[in-house]
Amino acid sequence: MLRFYTINALALVIFFGLLLGGFFGDVPVWLYVLFVLIWIVITAIGSFQIRWNYHLQSLNHNYKVSKNYVSITFDDGPNPDYTPKVLALLKKHGAKATFFLIGKNADMYSELVQQIINEGHSIGNHSFSHAKNFGFFSSKKVVADLNHANALLKEITGKELKLFRPPFGVTNPNIKKALRKTGHKSIGWSKRSLDTTNLSEEKIFKRITTNLKKGDVILLHDSSAKTLAVLEQLLLFLQSHELQSVPVDQLLEIEAYA
Ligand SMILES: [Zn+2]
């Protein structure tokens, strides 16, 4: 798998090769341009594809798990319109999940956070701000944002959160540095539903369930009626395939709280 430092070291070698080539011979300008473009594209994809583990190691699945477990995870809540309905569906089907909460939402709807915990699900940190420019935060700002969410959620639940899901799944050297300071584990996914895009319910359901196997981590958002409809289908699918959704910490065999 590609890694940020490996790619940069390789890029440096190629760059000096091109420079030397230009010094002793003739290297066309387009070759330099092509080289820079390739580097930019790889770095951009690596930053947006959490599954590449390009900048930092995220836990994206556990295919070694012995039981028939998968894990449904919900980002961006709690949401007053949809979280209660998601919780009711999970209860009806005896499924457990993990909610990666946005701090500022948890602040507004703390009773929902409590309900999530009371019903046997686990929670993780999905930043306080979920700012659109989170990927451009300095490492200091990321640390402050994560600590803010952790402090607030500790006030509500008494738990010190150890799991972190990067907003938008974006990682970079600043986030890596910040996580070293805060001690959070980065949690990714192996099945991205794209339920916040304008994909149809059928397509989202197909994206999740095609080749779904034990050990997979599914990413959903408790923020739309569409996801609710997909969730109901998914829970039926899991039952008929003898798969059980458990909190992500149970699937990954790690601790959710300090
Ligand atoms: Zn999010």
Side-chain angles (χ1 to χ4, degrees):
M1 199 59 89
L2 300 172
R3 294 287 183 279
F4 185 55
Y5 291 112
T6 320
I7 286 296
N8 284 358
L10 195 68
L12 214 62
V13 171
I14 295 172
F15 180 67
F16 278 113
L18 284 176
L19 276 187
L20 269 178
F23 189 73
F24 290 112
D26 198 13
V27 177
V29 176
W30 66 261
L31 207 56
Y32 289 101
V33 175
L34 182 71
F35 163 74
V36 172
L37 279 179
I38 290 174
W39 182 85
I40 290 175
V41 168
I42 292 177
T43 305
I45 299 176
S47 302
F48 279 98
Q49 288 289 342
I50 200 162
R51 298 182 60 193
W52 273 24
N53 289 326
Y54 189 65
H55 292 288
L56 56 95
Q57 184 72 41
S58 295
L59 302 170
N60 304 317
H61 49 72
N62 179 13
Y63 295 137
K64 290 186 184 143
V65 71
S66 55
K67 297 199 174 141
N68 281 347
Y69 289 161
V70 295
S71 189
I72 305 177
T73 64
F74 297 94
D75 283 10
D76 295 1
N79 178 304
D81 298 322
Y82 297 105
T83 307
K85 291 176 183 153
V86 163
L87 287 171
L89 265 182
L90 292 172
K91 192 184 257 178
K92 185 175 152 197
H93 293 267
K96 302 291 179 202
T98 297
F99 293 76
F100 287 96
L101 306 172
I102 297 177
K104 62 178 182 189
N105 294 353
D107 197 15
M108 280 188 285
Y109 310 110
S110 57
E111 70 290 347
L112 285 175
V113 179
Q114 206 56 65
Q115 192 187 341
I116 290 169
I117 297 281
N118 291 346
E119 296 188 4
H121 310 289
S122 67
I123 57 170
N125 187 328
H126 192 41
S127 83
F128 181 84
S129 65
H130 204 273
K132 285 208 166 63
N133 60 343
F134 194 85
F136 296 97
F137 277 16
S138 67
S139 68
K140 215 173 141 185
K141 209 167 162 189
V142 174
V143 169
D145 189 292
L146 263 56
N147 284 345
H148 189 181
N150 253 49
L152 181 90
L153 285 158
K154 188 168 188 181
E155 214 177 284
I156 300 171
T157 65
K159 295 176 189 300
E160 186 75 47
L161 270 53
K162 278 177 74 173
L163 308 184
F164 169 64
R165 157 114 0 116
F168 317 106
V170 169
T171 54
N172 60 38
N174 284 347
I175 294 176
K176 178 182 182 171
K177 203 169 149 194
L179 294 187
R180 247 192 247 131
K181 284 221 173 82
T182 63
H184 286 96
K185 276 199 171 77
S186 175
I187 308 297
W189 53 76
S190 52
K191 289 284 179 189
R192 185 176 209 170
S193 60
L194 296 181
D195 58 338
T196 55
T197 66
N198 55 13
L199 279 186
S200 67
E201 281 166 23
E202 293 73 28
K203 284 208 172 115
I204 294 168
F205 179 72
K206 213 171 160 195
R207 277 184 63 85
I208 306 170
T209 52
T210 304
N211 299 324
L212 181 70
K213 52 190 169 299
K214 69 171 186 154
D216 269 322
V217 175
I218 301 162
L219 166 64
L220 291 171
H221 296 77
D222 47 336
S223 54
S224 75
K226 191 161 74 177
T227 297
L228 216 55
V230 173
L231 177 63
E232 180 136 46
Q233 294 306 310
L234 174 62
L235 290 167
L236 290 169
F237 178 93
L238 294 183
Q239 267 163 7
S240 64
H241 288 75
E242 290 177 358
L243 288 166
Q244 190 192 346
S245 180
V246 295
V248 77
D249 42 299
Q250 192 180 338
L251 178 86
L252 298 172
E253 295 160 356
I254 54 173
E255 295 295 326
Y257 315 112

